């Protein structure tokens, strides 16, 4: 797990779980601890959820969708 300080004092969170270890509550447990740590440090937790299990974990922890993100790779195929 890697935690970086972003502008505005946000704690950007994500959890990766090996496919053979999914469905055991590991992501939720680790993410819950990371959120608690960020809150004790007076940071605003932010979760970026890609399609799949990630949004379910985020919702289980009380996160809600407030926006979206678009990533663009420039200069591809040249």
């Amino acid at each position: 797990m890697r935690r970086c300080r972003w502008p505005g004092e946000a704690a950007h969170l994500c959890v990766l779980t090996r496919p053979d270890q999914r469905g055991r509550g590991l992501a939720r447990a680790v993410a819950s601890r990371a959120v608690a740590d960020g809150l004790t440090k007076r940071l605003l937790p932010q979760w970026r959820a890609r399609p799949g299990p990630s949004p379910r974990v985020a919702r289980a922890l009380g996160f809600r969708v407030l926006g979206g993100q678009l990533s663009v790779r420039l200069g591809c195929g040249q």
Side-chain angles (χ1 to χ4, degrees):
M1 177 176 56
R2 191 174 102 180
R3 186 177 62 94
C4 301
R5 277 211 135 134
W6 283 46
E9 301 297 316
H12 175 73
L13 306 168
C14 67
V15 177
L16 303 176
T17 307
R18 282 184 9 191
D20 64 325
Q21 297 296 313
R22 292 180 184 155
R24 299 173 53 198
L26 299 173
R28 183 191 274 189
V30 169
S32 177
R33 178 71 177 136
V35 168
D37 182 62
L39 291 172
T40 61
K41 293 177 176 153
R42 303 177 68 96
L43 299 172
L44 175 65
Q46 176 191 47
W47 188 287
R48 281 196 195 154
R50 292 185 177 181
S54 185
R56 288 190 296 274
V57 174
R59 279 192 303 273
L61 294 173
F63 285 89
R64 58 191 171 130
V65 176
L66 295 177
Q69 176 181 332
L70 173 65
S71 298
V72 178
R73 183 179 295 183
L74 300 175
C76 294
Q78 293 182 355

